[in-house]
Amino acid sequence: MAIVKYPRATEPLWHEWDRKANKSGLRHTVYAINGDYYTGEWLDNLKHGKGIQVWTRAGAIYSGDWKFGKRDGYGSYSILDPGTKEYKKVYAGWWKNDKKCGHGVTFYSGMERYEGEWSSGLRSGWGRMYYQDGSVYEGQWLEDRPGGQGMLRLSNENRYEGGWKDGKKHGPGKFFYLDKGQLFEGIWAADIPKCGILIDFGRAEAPAPPQYPIPKV
């Protein structure tokens, strides 16, 4: 009985190329067409695990955790300083779905920095902001601005404690004029005191008290 041999079906070459291109596990540096490159772990052809992404044109680098192609977990983001030609850290903290989320520290221009909670890339929750002029805000944030209860301490140690809305003093609050030895307690609206009472507070220790004390009512 004659044996008939049928030709073996050949697989298209692109199938093999596609399998080789599908990245999983730890890989060496993979370059994109635009010059960006990534070194780290992959899963199903997506950045997943630990890795470092460099954006050459933007002059930025991210080093940390990835989840299905997005920054997710703990990582740091840095930008290239055109003067020193070295990378300067901008943010270090937690990420979720490619945005800052959870606790983290952001470094702004000069000496300004924020330490606290984030949500969807915005300062939200509890946090402390150090400003260029030496003042410090510590308290609640909402959508990238002070919102809720918080304290603003000025560079001369005067401070405000109370409510905030849209980044401005709003609601019941106290302003301690420690340089004058006075305390204003009242209601604020959009940074403006609407009503309240002004009394002496620590007048004896104040460096520049008014000539006469406030008379008692």
Side-chain angles (χ1 to χ4, degrees):
M1 182 178 179
I3 298 176
V4 180
K5 293 184 178 181
Y6 295 95
R8 182 179 297 177
T10 58
E11 186 180 35
L13 192 58
W14 68 268
H15 283 187
E16 182 181 356
W17 292 343
D18 195 49
R19 280 197 302 272
K20 290 181 178 179
N22 195 313
K23 297 172 284 294
S24 288
L26 182 62
R27 287 293 186 96
H28 294 296
T29 303
V30 177
Y31 291 86
I33 297 175
N34 61 1
D36 298 344
Y37 55 94
Y38 170 82
T39 306
E41 297 177 295
W42 299 78
L43 179 65
D44 295 333
N45 217 33
L46 293 172
K47 301 162 191 169
H48 191 89
K50 302 287 185 181
I52 301 174
Q53 171 70 47
V54 177
W55 295 274
T56 54
R57 289 187 179 180
I61 182 172
Y62 170 81
S63 176
D65 297 324
W66 296 80
K67 188 175 181 181
F68 301 117
K70 295 182 178 181
R71 291 169 288 188
D72 202 299
Y74 188 86
S76 62
Y77 180 79
S78 304
I79 60 173
L80 189 64
D81 189 317
T84 62
K85 303 298 181 183
E86 295 181 354
Y87 282 101
K88 179 177 62 176
K89 188 175 291 184
V90 175
Y91 175 78
W94 293 91
W95 303 72
K96 185 176 182 181
N97 198 29
D98 223 28
K99 294 181 179 180
K100 302 171 189 173
C101 189
H103 189 273
V105 181
T106 290
F107 302 91
Y108 299 93
S109 60
M111 300 297 292
E112 291 192 344
R113 75 179 188 274
Y114 170 82
E115 303 172 354
E117 297 176 306
W118 297 78
S119 179
S120 299
L122 301 176
R123 292 170 289 187
S124 292
W126 181 91
R128 184 187 294 118
M129 181 72 192
Y130 297 85
Y131 295 97
Q132 187 71 31
D133 61 2
S135 59
V136 180
Y137 171 82
E138 182 175 358
Q140 294 175 306
W141 293 75
L142 182 62
E143 295 182 349
D144 223 33
R145 290 185 287 187
Q149 293 296 309
M151 178 188 73
L152 175 67
R153 187 178 72 248
L154 304 179
S155 57
N156 62 0
E157 298 301 324
N158 290 349
R159 70 180 187 271
Y160 168 82
E161 300 176 2
W164 296 79
K165 183 180 180 181
D166 297 329
K168 297 180 180 180
K169 306 177 192 71
H170 194 89
K174 298 178 181 180
F175 202 109
F176 296 83
Y177 297 94
L178 300 182
D179 57 339
K180 298 179 181 180
Q182 295 178 338
L183 166 64
F184 175 83
E185 184 174 1
I187 304 296
W188 302 69
D191 252 357
I192 300 174
K194 294 296 183 178
C195 63
I197 183 172
L198 183 67
I199 62 174
D200 285 324
F201 181 87
R203 176 181 171 86
E205 295 81 21
Q211 183 177 2
Y212 302 104
I214 299 174
K216 293 183 180 181
V217 178

